[in-house]
């Protein structure tokens, strides 16, 4: 039993040792893989931690980026909205400006139309007023002699002229000497004397202290209006209207001043009294006009002693007396003729 038993025990103990050795060998053999595994596991944990950390970082970064993008998107949205609002405001302002400009243009157009309409309405009214305005009432010795209107001629260019009308008293106001020039285009001596008279006229009116005190009125002896116009271009003074000069008034003046031939120049003073009937011959003898207007000593004395208003009053009174005397004499003559 013991052998057997001892055998058994002996046999069992080596198996246990072998088993232990095998386990130890296996343990030794498996140590490197286990270490590698452990290292790998540790590395995996670290990597997982790193990955986790990187994930957290990336997550945080992505969050920040997302927030930034959201903020930028919000900012962009706000900017876009502000831009839209500004554009709307600009469009509104532009629309208002356009509307204002249109309104201004409409107002200007309306004002221009109104002004044009007013001008168009005013012009006929002004013309009607001018037509309706009567000429001023004129009286005096020159009106009795020349009528109410005298003519002047203005050369527009070498071949065109314009005739102007003047009220007699206005155009002769302030004139100290008034000449009556009887002349015609068909008269040779007239055509020779007229240039000399033009020079004399300019010279007398340029004298110091007596500027523009001399005026001449042409009493035409032309045969028609065309000849009147052509000859008038050679003169610088006034003229009776051609229908007056070639009518009864011209005939009356010729008879009153005893005109026997042409050219004839009669000089009158400022109230229509005769200074000389022979101005035609006075000028060649006194071209410088030293003695102009060649008054008689008595005329000079009267002009010096009595003012123009007094002399005009005396003349009108004398003229009234003469008219009454003529009327009485005319009545007496008709009565005597009837009695016969």
């Amino acid at each position: 039993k013991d052998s057997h038993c001892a055998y058994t025990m002996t046999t069992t103990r080596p198996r246990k040792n072998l088993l232990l050795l095998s386990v130890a060998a296996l343990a030794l053999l498996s140590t490197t893989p286990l270490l590698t595994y452990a290292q790998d596991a540790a590395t995996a944990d670290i990597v997982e931690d790193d990955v986790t950390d990187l994930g957290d970082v990336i997550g945080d970064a992505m969050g920040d980026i997302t927030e930034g993008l959201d903020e930028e998107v919000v900012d962009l949205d706000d900017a876009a909205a502000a831009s839209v609002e500004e554009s709307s405001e600009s469009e509104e302002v532009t629309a208002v400006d356009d509307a204002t400009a249109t309104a201004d243009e409409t107002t200007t157009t309306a004002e221009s139309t109104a002004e044009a309409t007013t001008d168009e309405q005013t012009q006929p009214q002004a013309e009607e007023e001018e037509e309706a305005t009567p000429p001023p009432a004129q009286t005096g010795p020159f009106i009795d002699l020349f009528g109410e209107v005298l003519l002047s001629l203005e050369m527009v260019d070498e071949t065109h002229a314009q005739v102007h009308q003047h009220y007699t008293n206005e155009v002769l106001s302030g004139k100290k000497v008034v000449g009556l020039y009887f002349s015609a285009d068909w008269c040779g001596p007239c055509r020779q004397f007229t240039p000399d008279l033009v020079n004399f006229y300019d010279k007398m009116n340029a004298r110091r202290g007596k500027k523009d005190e001399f005026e001449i009125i042409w009493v035409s002896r032309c045969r028609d209006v065309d000849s009147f116009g052509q000859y008038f271009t050679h003169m610088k003074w006034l003229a009776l209207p051609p229908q007056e000069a070639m009518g009864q008034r011209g005939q009356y003046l010729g008879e009153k001043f005893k005109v026997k031939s042409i050219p004839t120049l009669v000089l009158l003073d400022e109230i229509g009294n005769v200074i000389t009937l022979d101005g035609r011959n006075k000028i060649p003898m006194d071209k410088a006009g030293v003695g102009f207007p060649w008054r008689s000593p008595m005329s000079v004395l009267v002009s010096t002693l009595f003012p123009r208003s007094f002399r005009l009053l005396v003349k009108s009174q004398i003229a009234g007396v003469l008219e009454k005397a003529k009327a009485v004499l005319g009545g007496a003559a008709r009565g005597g003729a009837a009695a016969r």
Side-chain angles (χ1 to χ4, degrees):
K1 285 185 183 178
D2 293 333
S3 305
H4 181 63
C5 284
Y7 176 78
T8 304
M9 290 297 293
T10 305
T11 306
T12 303
R13 193 173 291 167
R15 290 181 179 176
K16 289 183 179 180
N17 292 332
L18 181 62
L19 180 60
L20 291 172
L21 289 172
S22 299
V23 170
L26 289 172
L28 291 171
L29 292 172
S30 61
T31 301
T32 302
L34 287 174
L35 291 173
T36 304
Y37 177 77
Q39 292 176 355
D40 292 339
T43 304
D45 291 337
I46 294 170
V47 169
E48 287 179 0
D49 292 338
D50 292 338
V51 170
T52 302
D53 294 338
L54 287 174
D56 294 336
V57 171
I58 291 171
D60 295 337
M62 289 301 291
D64 295 337
I65 292 171
T66 303
E67 290 178 0
L69 290 174
D70 291 338
E71 291 178 357
E72 291 180 358
V73 170
V74 171
D75 293 339
L76 289 174
D77 292 339
D78 294 339
S83 177
V84 171
E85 290 178 359
E86 290 178 359
S87 299
S88 300
E89 291 178 357
S90 299
E91 290 177 356
E92 290 178 359
V93 171
T94 304
V96 170
D97 292 340
D98 293 340
T100 304
T102 304
D104 292 340
E105 291 178 358
T106 304
T107 304
T108 304
T109 304
E111 290 176 355
S112 301
T113 305
E115 290 177 359
T117 305
T118 303
D119 293 339
E120 290 177 357
Q121 292 176 352
T122 304
Q123 187 173 0
Q125 292 177 358
E127 292 177 356
E128 291 177 0
E129 289 178 359
E130 289 180 359
E131 292 178 357
T133 303
Q138 301 183 85
T139 58
F142 291 140
I143 302 301
D144 298 335
L145 290 174
F146 312 130
E148 296 185 351
V149 175
L150 296 172
L151 305 180
S152 68
L153 186 140
E154 178 187 5
M155 294 300 298
V156 178
D157 54 37
E158 295 180 355
T159 58
H160 297 83
Q162 186 174 5
V163 176
H164 302 282
Q165 290 188 351
H166 308 274
Y167 293 122
T168 301
N169 280 346
E170 290 182 2
V171 75
L172 295 181
S173 176
K175 305 300 180 181
K176 302 297 184 181
V177 180
V178 177
L180 284 180
Y181 181 46
F182 297 85
S183 177
D185 66 309
W186 48 264
C187 170
C190 296
R191 292 196 301 270
Q192 292 176 0
F193 178 67
T194 297
D196 295 336
L197 183 57
V198 169
N199 293 332
F200 187 82
Y201 174 83
D202 290 339
K203 188 181 297 183
M204 293 301 100
N205 281 323
R207 291 183 302 173
R208 182 179 300 176
K210 297 183 179 181
K211 184 176 178 61
D212 297 330
E213 292 184 353
F214 179 36
E215 190 56 80
I216 296 175
I217 299 171
W218 176 40
V219 182
S220 173
R221 287 292 184 261
C222 297
R223 296 189 173 97
D224 54 59
V225 176
D226 291 338
S227 301
F228 170 89
Q230 291 292 332
Y231 195 34
F232 198 15
T233 61
H234 298 278
M235 304 176 188
K236 294 185 175 181
W237 42 75
L238 303 172
L240 284 179
Q243 64 274 15
E244 293 275 341
M246 291 181 265
Q248 293 182 353
R249 190 176 297 278
Q251 184 177 357
Y252 161 73
L253 293 173
E255 293 175 355
K256 179 177 179 63
F257 297 111
K258 302 177 177 61
V259 177
K260 303 299 182 181
S261 61
I262 55 175
T264 294
L265 179 64
V266 178
L267 299 182
L268 308 177
D269 65 11
E270 55 192 334
I271 62 172
N273 289 329
V274 175
I275 298 175
T276 180
L277 299 176
D278 196 22
R280 161 71 178 86
N281 294 319
K282 296 286 187 181
I283 289 176
M285 293 186 295
D286 186 12
K287 292 183 179 181
V290 176
F292 178 82
W294 310 290
R295 300 176 186 270
S296 64
M298 181 59 68
S299 176
V300 173
L301 180 62
V302 171
S303 299
T304 304
L305 294 177
F306 302 102
R308 177 181 181 277
S309 58
F310 178 78
R311 288 182 283 123
L312 186 59
L313 177 61
V314 171
K315 181 179 180 178
S316 62
Q317 293 293 333
I318 294 174
V321 171
L322 291 176
E323 289 294 331
K324 290 180 180 179
K326 287 181 181 180
V328 170
L329 292 175
R334 286 192 297 272
R340 291 177 187 174

